[in-house]
Amino acid sequence: MSELKGFDRMFRLDGKVAVITGGSRGLGLHTATAFLLAGARKVIITARKSGGEQGIDQAVDKLNALPGISGKAVGIAANVANTEDIQRLVEEIKKTEPKIDILVANAGATWGGPFEPTPDWSSQKVLDLNVRGVFNTVRLMAPMLAAAGKPDDPSRVIIVSSTAGVNVPHVGDHGTIMYSASKAAAHHMARNLAVELGPRNITTNTVAPGFFPSKLANGLIDILGGTKELENENPRKRLGIPEDIAGVMVYLASRASNYVNGVDIAVDGGVRLSSGRLTKL
Ligand SMILES: NC(=O)c1ccc[n+]([C@@H]2O[C@H](COP(=O)([O-])OP(=O)(O)OC[C@H]3O[C@@H](n4cnc5c(N)ncnc54)[C@H](OP(=O)(O)O)[C@@H]3O)[C@@H](O)[C@H]2O)c1
C-alpha cells in the first residue's frame, strides 16, 4: 500500500479564492458552479455586462442559490480586452482579497467569415481579448497569485483556449483563421507562463474545448449542420456538456494536479483527431 496524504481532499477547493473571466454564462459559468460545489470560499466572476438576462448579476444570484455551498459568488464588471480595465479589476479585488488562488482566463471572442473581405476590426477584437487580454490579465494578477502559491500547493492559471488552437477547424465562407491563430497563441503563451511563473509557485495549463452549446458556439453549430450532425461526427457521439468542463476545471484547480504545468487538455470527445469537416464547407 502507498500512503496518499489527504486523498479524501484531493479534488476539493475549500478555502480557495478564484477569479473567472467571462463567468456570466457558458463555460465560465459552468466553471464557477463547479468551483463553488467543490468548496471554494469565493468565486469572483467578471464580464462586461452587469444587468440583463446574460449579465453578471443574474449569474451571481444563481450561483449563490446553489444548495449546500459554503462559499459565495461575487461579480465585478470589467472588459478584459482593455488593460486599464484589468488594472481596475485587480484594484477592486484587492479591496476584499489580498491573494488569488485560481485564475481562469476564459473570456473569449470569435469571428467567422470569408478570407479576403475580413474586416481588420475583427482581427483586432479577437486578438485583443484572446491573446493580449489573457496575457495582461495573468500579468497584472501574477503578484496576487504568487502571494497565494505555496511549494506544495501552487496557485493556478487556467487558460481556456480551443481545439481550434491545434487544428484547422474552419476555412472558406465561415473561416475562423484569426480565432484559430489566437487560440494557438494561447496554448503557447501557457507553455511560456508555465516556465516563467512555475518558480513563483504558480502553474499554468490550458483547457481546449470542442463544441459546447453556448452563445459563442451556437451560431457556428447551426452553420455546420446543427447539433445532430456534429454529434454524429464525434467519436463519443455527443457535444460537450457542463459536467465535462466542470471535471477538468476542478482537477486543474485542485491538489490533484499540483505537479501538472504547461499542458493542454482537450475536452472534445476526441473529435479533433478525426477529419472530413473541411471538405463540407
Ligand atoms: N462553447 C464552445 O463550443 C467553445 C469551444 C472552444 C473554445 N471555447 C472558448 O471558451 C471560452 C468561453 O466561451 P463560451 O462558449 O462560454 O462563450 P459565451 O457563452 O459567449 O460566454 C463568453 C463570456 O465571456 C464574456 N466576455 C466576452 N467578452 C469579454 C470581454 N471583453 N471582457 C470580459 N468578459 C467578456 C461574456 O460576457 P459579456 O458579453 O457580458 O462580456 C461571457 O461571460 C472562450 O474563450 C471560447 O473561445 C468555447
Side-chain angles (χ1 to χ4, degrees):
M1 175 197 103
S2 302
E3 194 198 338
L4 299 179
K5 294 189 187 82
F7 189 78
D8 56 335
R9 317 292 301 162
M10 200 127 195
F11 294 92
R12 295 288 305 170
L13 301 179
D14 300 279
K16 301 290 184 188
V17 174
V19 176
I20 303 173
T21 72
S24 61
R25 59 174 188 259
L27 305 187
L29 186 55
H30 305 332
T31 303
T33 307
F35 283 2
L36 284 167
L37 291 173
R41 177 168 66 77
K42 192 190 269 190
V43 175
I44 301 165
I45 61 169
T46 184
R48 290 165 302 175
K49 287 185 288 292
S50 297
E53 257 176 45
Q54 301 204 314
I56 298 172
D57 298 345
Q58 56 82 33
V60 166
D61 288 347
K62 280 185 203 150
L63 289 167
N64 284 329
L66 281 167
I69 60 168
S70 56
K72 66 171 182 171
V74 170
I76 302 174
N79 177 356
V80 293
N82 177 296
T83 311
E84 286 78 44
D85 227 25
I86 302 170
Q87 188 67 64
R88 184 183 58 77
L89 171 66
V90 171
E91 297 311 319
E92 279 293 317
I93 296 170
K94 272 190 196 157
K95 286 181 187 165
T96 56
E97 292 295 336
K99 302 173 187 176
I100 298 169
D101 297 288
I102 306 155
L103 166 62
V104 182
N106 161 77
T110 187
W111 185 88
F115 177 52
E116 271 140 325
T118 301
D120 197 39
W121 63 258
S122 69
S123 304
Q124 209 161 358
K125 175 183 155 180
V126 165
L127 295 174
D128 274 357
L129 181 58
N130 300 7
V131 184
R132 275 187 55 245
V134 171
F135 178 75
N136 285 322
T137 303
V138 177
R139 182 174 68 80
L140 294 170
M141 292 189 187
M144 293 182 81
L145 287 158
K150 301 181 197 74
D152 62 346
D153 188 12
S155 50
R156 316 298 166 97
V157 172
I158 304 169
I159 298 176
V160 179
S161 68
S162 168
T163 50
V166 291
N167 60 18
V168 177
H170 317 291
V171 296
D173 283 350
H174 308 292
T176 54
I177 295 178
M178 287 309 272
Y179 177 74
S180 185
S182 76
K183 295 301 188 178
H187 279 125
H188 206 50
M189 192 191 312
R191 296 182 196 111
N192 278 265
L193 291 171
V195 178
E196 173 75 27
L197 300 177
R200 291 164 74 176
N201 296 322
I202 304 169
T203 65
T204 308
N205 295 293
T206 310
V207 171
F211 274 123
F212 282 71
S214 77
K215 184 162 185 264
L216 178 140
N218 288 347
L220 193 54
I221 290 174
D222 287 346
I223 286 167
L224 295 175
T227 304
K228 276 274 157 286
E229 187 160 340
L230 293 177
E231 283 175 346
N232 267 336
E233 287 175 7
N234 192 298
R236 298 293 304 118
K237 300 293 167 204
R238 64 174 178 83
L239 302 187
I241 57 173
E243 291 80 358
D244 298 326
I245 278 296
V248 75
M249 284 294 182
V250 168
Y251 165 67
L252 283 177
S254 71
R255 205 163 63 79
S257 66
N258 260 3
Y259 201 48
V260 176
N261 192 20
V263 305
D264 314 332
I265 301 184
V267 189
D268 72 335
V271 72
R272 74 195 175 286
L273 303 171
S274 62
S275 60
R277 166 52 65 184
L278 292 182
T279 54
K280 291 187 184 169
L281 288 174

